[in-house]
Amino acid sequence: VTNAKRAIYANAYPEKPLQNVVFENVWIESKNGGSINNAENWEIKNVILNAKEQVQLKNCIKVQLPVCGEGLQ
């Protein structure tokens, strides 16, 4: 993905979190890392995020973050 405004946006209810998501072999170039709210057990394999800001986590358990690429300062 290139020239995105936001790399990732995931939002769920606290009582029904997004569970067992896998991102694999992904390269994302975006202005903003985005956010993940109310998630559990996310696996990130070979994912590169080229953004000025990292992904923000709120109420997450065992959620991996992507590797930050050159764009992070």
Side-chain angles (χ1 to χ4, degrees):
V1 177
T2 59
N3 297 318
K5 289 182 182 180
R6 176 174 47 203
I8 297 172
Y9 177 75
N11 191 27
Y13 294 109
E15 62 274 5
K16 188 86 171 159
L18 293 168
Q19 298 178 329
N20 305 316
V21 174
V22 177
F23 282 95
E24 189 169 1
N25 299 323
V26 179
W27 185 82
I28 305 170
E29 179 183 295
S30 65
K31 293 179 182 179
N32 185 307
S35 62
I36 301 171
N37 301 312
N38 304 308
E40 295 178 3
N41 302 318
W42 283 35
E43 193 171 353
I44 304 293
K45 298 177 183 178
N46 193 33
V47 174
I48 304 293
L49 171 61
N50 192 13
K52 292 183 180 176
E53 298 176 14
Q54 182 58 280
V55 176
Q56 301 298 309
L57 302 179
K58 183 177 178 186
N59 298 324
C60 293
I61 299 169
K62 294 184 182 178
V63 174
Q64 297 175 355
L65 291 175
V67 173
C68 300
E70 298 173 4
L72 276 172
Q73 313 228 345

